[in-house]
Amino acid sequence: MDPAFLNQLQRIVGAGGVLHDPLDVLTYECDGLPHLRMSPAAVVLPASAAEVHDVVRLCARARVPFVPRGHGTGLSGGALPVAGGVLIALSRLNRVLEVDIPNQRVTVEPGVTNLEITRQVAPFGYYYAPDPSSQQVCSIGGNVAENSGGAHCLKYGFTTHHVIGVDAVMPDGELVRIDGALTDAPGPDLLGLIVGSEGTLAIVTSITVRILRRPETVQTLLAAFDTIDAGGAAVSEIIGAGIIPAAVEMMDALAIRAAEAAVHPGFPETDTVLIVELDGPAAEVEALFEIVKDICRRCKATSIEVAADEAQRMRIWRGRKAAFAAMGRVSPNYYVQDGVVPRTKLPEVLNRIRDLERRSGLPIGNVFHAGDGNLHPLICYDERIPGQSDKAVEVAAEILSYCIDAGGSLTGEHGIGADKNTYMPQMFSAADLALMQRVRNALDPLGLCNPGKIFPTPRLCGEVPGPYRAHPVEKAGLAERM
Amino acid sequence: MTDGRAPRSADLSAVAQSAKADDAKGRAFDANHPPDPALIDKCVHCGFCLPSCPTYALWGEEMDSPRGRIYLMKGGLDGRAPMSAAFVRHFDACLGCMACVTACPSGVQYSPLIEATRGQIERRYDRSLADRVFRRAIFAIFPYPARMRLALAPLVALQAAGLPFDKLRASRARRGMQGPRDDRRAALSCLRSPAKRASYGEARRSAGGAEAAGPPSADRSAKEPVKKYDVERRTRRTRRKTLGISLCGFRGFCVVRDFFTRSKAVALRPKAIGLRPPGFFRHVRAMMRLAPRVTWKSLTARVPERTPAVGVKRMTVGVLTGCVQRLVFPNVNTATINVLSAEGCDVVAPRDQGCCGALSLHAGRLEDARCFARSTIATFDRAGVDRVAVNAAGCGSSMKEYGQLLADDPQWAERARAFSARVRDVTELVIELGEPRATRHPLHLRVAYQDACHLAHAQGIRQPPRDLLRSIPGIELLNLPEADMCCGSAGIYNLVEPDTAEQLGDRKARLIDSTKPDIVSTANPGCTLQLRAAASRLARHWPIRHPIELLDASLRGVEISDI
């Protein structure tokens, strides 16, 4: 990278805020999706919104592409660096700026973790509803970028339903305030545009979120089923009965085994478990819980267990939330996919996935938000066995095509990122994609802000999509990737 | 002779060549016990460990996080990361607190990974002369109580001459902070009488709001009004006064003292680890700042070798008296013996016990550690005890690892396993004993309990010390934020990486202060020293005691200050 440019970066964030030693930037080459890798030319660690502003302005002036990154836990390669570009890591922007309990609002910087917001307001009896499984580490800035959900978004909605205002640095370096604090702000819904744009339209530097009062009662039930069909039927019936649970989660045998090995949540050894959580006024929860139990029994649940206390409830959730990361205990590598199907199609798609598992020989675990039909198949493979990582990608592509066939979507909450942009044309027509591109070009005409994400991009000659593998030119030792 | 020599030199040159080849390929490790790739592969890069890592919390840099360090190890094996100064610094910065192991859902065993990496670094990386000398000195002195006693003796003389180091530190307290000594005296005098103590607690709590903005005011309102010194002016005046004394030797002493004890303001911008390791004098300064208060009495204190159980005997317990513990905190050993005997244990504290090997083990000096382990096992086996009680978290965790440490030694493997199975932390043992026998007298104190990493993360002991404290009537156990994050002590870390350790110590002291405790409790001598130094930089002087000391005080019905 141009030393003059590095100098200018250092002038903004100080010498300790710019990393360009190959060893240091090596650790930034991937996020939570480690098979997509690319070393950035430099990593910048701004410590204030003003510094982010200056860095973006500098990049825009010098025409250097930049990629925002929180704590690097994304599962779609949304923070995958660009060769020769700058990675703007927001981990040092981790202050809670304002806790406004009477107005039920909290304003934080993007590097604050999701769980930290709840920690801040818990003493007052409040919490922040969206709860991605990585909530203890994922940054709220990343949540805004990916429009993260979580187990409880069935009842409470996604990040976009809880963000009420942001300060954002636009790709040209302009600092804007997009405020939805009023119930019906005039003008187009710019906030809706920014949330879920995967860091391609702006970098947010402060976020105001809504917090909710803790429900009076929360009850959690763990039901075991012999077949995935029975579990799926139970989910459909519960929701069909007009009950909106706070969460309905399903896990299959492989995922249960991994979670059990990691955090011992006390899951039964069975084919499928269903976690149903109801919250609200005690009388309502009590009454609805009986109905849920009845439905589970009718759907041939082999065991039904209700969490006796908060400790057991937390254990169940720890088991569910650790499930992805715990796959490291049963497989050397895994590839988590994120697709959505209409709830009623769950059993059908899940059986197709089981078929695929038998055909491909790769074990596939399933952990998913059953309530909204958001699947998270975990494809286990071993990258040391030649051909397995390619196979895993093929399997993932096939699963996504099942989702689209069933009238679903490519992603529920992890985003498209660099991982699934090649599948976009399967779901959207050329005109749909062109409209999205036009919006993007309007805000980022130079294409500097997180390029290569969401939209399919042409590849190098001889390059195939999927996990990193050496390009034929690299293999021949003729060129080196930065 | 010649027959033997020829192949050996050939071997050596081959090794040197292969090492060079490794370096040329950018490979950080050679074939001699590199970090195990199978263990590295367990890491799925999820990042759940990040918020638990003290260095990531300080600097927010990926390469100084557990995930980043494992990625660097992987790079070192793949030939993408050479053993450069930067590489070594990122591993030097790791505290080895193992908080990441607690946080990891994939079950990555970080401990063997970092030990193997450190072993390679010690073998293959040339540290600066100063660094080498300092590290060697630590391992030549600390594990040997007799040498340690000699090393600490000059401190006794200096402190007896009225120059206790913590007071020197306090006199240089941060700008804007006020009269720390008065505050401490107030705290201690209040603790002596129950009536005053209650009013002291009240005063501190009511002063809470004001304290956040200003200096601690304790019971200042109750005493005659203290003049509000502008600290900067006062220190300048004191200095002028001392310089005025026409003792050129003393003046020289002041200059030297200031050099060693001056505290730097904490920069707003996180100051990540520099490429250059701290210099020799920085190490010495760190030592001076952490220097414990010692007296001839503490240095020569001895606990009785055998103490009989009170009432019907429940079991025979051996007590490890520790190296630092027995010289610097002999009260902890006395308290341990008192409590265990009051709870019905015959207590044996073998005279001939030495170091348990914890320091060497945690620094990757495995051969030394094995020697210490064998001798410790032999000592306690001779004493014929049912359990071995340990009141220093670091020692306890290494003694519980003897089984693995000596697994390859056929003569000792079985014995070591059996020994490790008998080791208990003293708080764990007291809870294990079951129904309390001795009467607990009330202690009206707000206690902030800080988890020692080698207790919480390495041994998984979080509840017993809390249960033990809660069993004392009148104690209010405070909810300390980040209680299980390292305070920066981490064995010898605060000596070899003083800058990082001080940043962590300051962070910890501020968090402890936010809970307004009367007393701080932690179960490891290193943590006690580190917290004391950090507190004095913040001009706070909560007494810091081991939980067992509080229980002992409660059993005896005496005041904390009298222990």
Side-chain angles (χ1 to χ4, degrees), chain B residues 56 191 209 255 290 362 378 382 400 463 473 545 553:
Chain B
Y56 188 78
L191 288 172
V255 173
L290 289 162
H362 299 146
R382 265 201 305 279
K400 285 182 180 177
Q463 216 43 48
R545 296 283 187 273

Side-chain angles (χ1 to χ4, degrees), chain A residues 10 38 52 66 94 106 114 116 134 191 208 223 225 240 243-244 252 277 287 293 352-353 384 397:
Chain A
Q10 281 180 350
M38 177 62 71
V52 178
F66 53 91
N94 58 1
V106 176
N114 173 297
E116 182 61 25
S134 57
L191 205 51
T208 306
F225 296 90
I243 301 170
I244 303 181
D252 76 353
E277 183 159 286
K293 277 197 235 171
R352 286 185 79 179
I353 294 178
R384 288 165 302 188

Side-chain angles (χ1 to χ4, degrees), chain A residues 260-283:
Chain A
E260 198 57 47
V263 292
H264 321 295
F267 290 160
E269 263 184 54
T270 179
D271 184 76
T272 304
V273 292
L274 194 62
I275 302 168
V276 185
E277 183 159 286
L278 297 184
D279 63 4

Side-chain angles (χ1 to χ4, degrees), chain B residues 324-509:
Chain B
V324 176
Q325 195 85 289
R326 82 172 77 160
L327 300 178
V328 180
F329 302 109
N331 289 334
V332 178
N333 284 334
T334 315
T336 302
I337 291 171
N338 287 348
V339 169
L340 289 176
S341 96
E343 289 295 333
C345 301
D346 272 349
V347 187
V348 187
R351 278 278 146 80
D352 53 347
Q353 59 179 298
C355 173
C356 67
L359 275 192
S360 313
L361 177 64
H362 299 146
R365 303 164 79 100
L366 299 184
E367 224 15 79
D368 291 1
R370 286 191 190 106
C371 289
F372 285 127
R374 288 187 196 105
S375 134
T376 306
I377 295 171
T379 304
F380 282 96
D381 279 359
R382 265 201 305 279
V385 294
D386 304 317
R387 293 274 182 277
V388 179
V390 188
N391 52 28
C395 305
S397 94
S398 71
M399 287 164 75
K400 285 182 180 177
E401 280 174 38
Y402 281 177
Q404 290 126 286
L405 183 67
L406 294 173
D408 296 338
D409 185 336
Q411 272 189 314
W412 287 84
E414 194 39 53
R415 229 172 134 182
R417 248 195 308 282
F419 178 83
S420 288
R422 278 182 288 155
V423 175
R424 296 285 182 283
D425 185 72
V426 64
T427 58
E428 190 185 12
L429 183 60
V430 170
I431 299 299
E432 189 184 302
L433 284 172
E435 206 46 41
R437 269 194 199 167
T439 318
R440 269 95 168 132
H441 300 97
L443 286 178
H444 296 284
L445 291 170
R446 288 163 58 82
V447 180
Y449 175 73
Q450 154 71 19
D451 284 296
C453 296
H454 277 110
L455 205 56
H457 300 303
Q459 301 183 54
I461 298 176
R462 295 179 185 85
Q463 216 43 48
R466 292 183 166 86
D467 289 347
L468 182 147
L469 288 170
R470 280 206 192 92
S471 76
I472 304 171
I475 277 198
E476 185 190 344
L477 201 56
L478 303 169
N479 202 358
L480 178 63
E482 294 184 7
D484 60 354
M485 185 176 276
C486 184
C487 64
S489 165
I492 56 165
Y493 188 89
N494 50 3
L495 300 177
V496 292
E497 294 296 339
D499 294 317
T500 313
E502 280 178 16
Q503 289 179 48
L504 284 169
D506 289 343
R507 179 188 172 102
K508 182 61 72 186

